[in-house]
Amino acid sequence: MFTVAATRALWRTAARPELCAARHRSGSALAEHLAPVPELRDERLRRAVFYVPCSEERKIQKSLQSKADCVMYDLEDGVSLNRKGQARGLVLGALAANGTGAELGVRINAVGSGLELDDLGVVLQAPQLDVVMVPKVESARDIHFVAQMIAAAGRPRDVRIIAGIETARGLVSIGEIAAADPRVDALLFAAEDYCADTGIVRTRSRRELYHARSVVATMAHAHRLQAIDMVTMDFRDADVLRDESREGAEMGFTGKQVIHPAQVDPVQALFSPPDDALVRAARIAAGYQHHYRLGKGAFDLDGKAIDMPVVKWAYRVLRRAELAGTDVAALLAAHPVEPPPQ
């Protein structure tokens, strides 16, 4: 059983410089809690990463009303080779016109493609740019190159990098990629490119991709990064989208790539904590706070043992819900820190 001293020691030894307890972060309803709160990050919400081909003005215009957490203007696979220049010519206008409040990003062409320098030379001029998606990353050198280009352009540290894991070489090098630069904020798995590289045949069961997806999700969390799951290519099949999204969330992915506007709302709903999980998380947080005052670590809730790993899960659920717009303060108020006596 955890004691108060052991609990405090756990938080101290688990702490990382870039991770802060919620009590030291303004704007979070969790900041008022007495007991130490584990590993709550000021992360950017990326439940849906919505690709918009930057060579198609009609789709750019539609993106200006998108509710996606992240709108990713695409210069890579969504743009044919003979329209790359046209796409670069439209990307700055697209970024400037988007006032939705979404995170705004650009997927450049892969490092080594011969197109990446021209892409970066344009997109790094945009003050609205929040994130650069680097596809087909196979080594830390690919990330170093992009990070150096961002720094050379005088961009602040808040311009992040999403690293695309899309080949067998990228998968086996994922550890060095994840740790390559502080700007790396997420790892992303691209199933179609991975299948093309490895010869894997993609099926509706998705079992052939389970290993690669698990590696990406696990490595992302090991490095305190977000994990973005694969595209559902059957964009008209709502059942497949629902099943893939639910499975991805259960595997630990924090979001999913989408290629059609109709995919955005279902994906963002499925990558948000469900109501039953929110209520349970709030009750766990309440129980943790109450037993902390009593000098106890582990405690019983509804006949189940609650210890630090479960508490950590509960606070992560609450923080993600808060980022998604849930009134966590009201939720916590409905489940008081000090429960009534039994």
Side-chain angles (χ1 to χ4, degrees):
M1 180 174 293
F2 285 92
T3 65
V4 173
T7 301
R8 287 172 175 162
L10 175 63
W11 297 145
R12 284 198 297 271
T13 56
R16 287 160 46 104
E18 68 273 24
L19 303 179
C20 301
R23 62 172 63 210
H24 300 303
R25 177 173 297 109
S26 61
S28 173
L30 304 173
E32 302 305 317
H33 278 196
L34 171 68
V37 176
E39 296 191 11
L40 297 177
R41 303 190 294 272
D42 274 332
E43 58 186 280
R44 299 176 179 180
L45 205 60
R46 298 189 183 104
R47 293 167 298 175
V49 176
F50 176 37
Y51 290 117
V52 180
C54 225
S55 58
E56 299 184 43
E57 294 186 62
R58 178 181 61 86
K59 292 184 178 180
I60 291 173
Q61 286 300 314
K62 280 192 169 185
S63 75
L64 304 183
Q65 283 79 46
S66 176
K67 295 180 181 178
D69 290 335
C70 178
V71 176
M72 188 70 66
Y73 292 106
D74 190 16
L75 299 177
E76 197 221 9
D77 284 348
V79 178
S80 64
L81 187 60
N82 62 352
R83 300 192 72 183
K84 298 289 187 183
Q86 177 186 357
R88 291 189 199 104
L90 293 173
V91 69
L92 293 181
L95 291 166
N98 193 311
T100 61
E103 180 184 50
L104 300 179
V106 176
R107 177 166 68 170
I108 63 170
N109 287 277
V111 175
S113 66
L115 300 169
E116 70 277 15
L117 271 172
D118 289 340
D119 291 346
L120 289 167
V122 172
V123 303
L124 291 177
Q125 299 175 37
Q128 302 85 4
L129 182 70
D130 295 314
V131 62
V132 175
M133 159 59 179
V134 186
K136 301 178 179 64
V137 178
E138 295 194 329
S139 73
R141 290 191 302 273
D142 296 344
I143 298 298
H144 293 159
F145 170 78
V146 175
Q148 288 165 8
M149 289 288 291
I150 295 172
R155 299 309 305 267
R157 296 276 298 212
D158 62 348
V159 176
R160 314 283 179 86
I161 293 173
I162 297 176
I165 306 301
E166 311 186 22
T167 65
R169 181 173 292 181
L171 192 68
V172 299
S173 302
I174 192 169
E176 69 172 66
I177 292 167
D181 191 89
R183 290 185 188 271
V184 176
D185 208 39
L187 300 178
L188 174 149
F189 179 64
E192 302 308 316
D193 285 286
Y194 185 77
C195 289
D197 183 62
T198 59
I200 288 174
V201 177
R202 187 168 175 179
T203 68
R204 287 179 70 91
S205 74
R206 301 176 293 279
R207 64 177 179 267
E208 67 282 353
L209 296 172
Y210 189 82
H211 169 71
R213 292 168 74 199
S214 295
V215 169
V216 172
T218 300
M219 192 61 70
H221 289 292
H223 289 267
R224 301 299 187 264
L225 308 176
Q226 292 182 347
I228 311 300
D229 201 11
M230 60 192 185
V231 170
T232 297
M233 300 303 290
D234 298 324
F235 61 87
R236 291 190 175 89
D237 193 324
D239 291 337
V240 172
L241 179 66
R242 183 188 62 249
D243 291 347
E244 280 193 11
S245 298
R246 183 176 292 121
E247 180 182 77
E250 290 170 352
M251 292 177 69
F253 284 95
T254 55
K256 185 175 179 66
Q257 303 160 81
V258 302
I259 56 173
H260 192 277
Q263 294 179 317
V264 171
D265 286 346
V267 165
Q268 295 200 157
L270 287 162
F271 278 92
S272 298
D275 290 344
D276 58 344
L278 280 176
V279 171
R280 179 160 175 78
R283 296 187 68 224
I284 290 170
Y288 169 57
Q289 296 293 320
H290 174 67
H291 288 88
Y292 179 85
R293 287 192 175 97
L294 300 177
K296 297 179 180 179
F299 60 94
D300 172 272
L301 181 67
D302 300 331
K304 295 183 179 180
I306 306 297
D307 58 7
M308 285 301 113
V310 181
V311 170
K312 178 179 175 181
W313 169 85
Y315 275 98
R316 290 194 68 180
V317 167
L318 292 171
R319 180 58 178 157
R320 283 191 61 78
E322 188 173 48
L323 290 169
T326 297
D327 187 347
V328 171
L331 182 67
L332 292 169
H335 301 277
V337 166
E338 193 158 345
Q342 299 297 316

